[in-house]
Amino acid sequence: MFKLIIAIIRDSDASAVTDALIAANFRATRIASTGAFFRQGNTTLIIGVEADKVEAVIDTLKLACGPAPTDGGHRATIFVLNAARHEQI
């Protein structure tokens, strides 16, 4: 089964996270986004992987994100969804 991971991370972590994903041989699509609550810049990553690779991606995200913010916010928000179909053309 294929999974779709959507990770919303802080802009300040975006380069480190994408570099870490690439180093671990994971591909991601990077999209600029804005958070609604604080209206701060975010980056949304869309990552497609086999189900058995989900934990490796999440571990990579956790390690690559910077330290927890002091404002009480989160370093990342991660969604893991089932993908009905995956095809690269």
Side-chain angles (χ1 to χ4, degrees):
M1 179 173 284
F2 207 76
K3 299 289 186 173
L4 180 66
I5 300 171
I6 301 171
I8 304 164
I9 60 174
R10 292 176 174 247
D11 276 343
S12 58
D13 293 328
S15 291
V17 170
T18 54
D19 288 347
L21 288 169
I22 290 167
N25 289 325
F26 295 118
R27 296 180 184 189
T29 298
R30 184 173 165 172
I31 302 168
S33 54
T34 303
F37 187 66
F38 290 115
R39 289 183 170 64
Q40 63 185 359
N42 293 319
T43 297
T44 300
L45 300 174
I46 301 172
I47 308 156
V49 294
E50 294 290 336
D52 63 339
K53 303 289 184 193
V54 169
E55 289 306 317
V57 171
I58 292 173
D59 289 344
T60 301
L61 293 169
K62 286 179 181 178
L63 288 172
C65 284
T70 58
D71 64 6
H74 302 288
R75 293 171 28 192
T77 301
I78 302 168
F79 299 93
V80 180
L81 309 165
N82 291 327
R85 181 175 173 175
H86 169 257
E87 186 174 342
Q88 291 182 317
I89 54 173

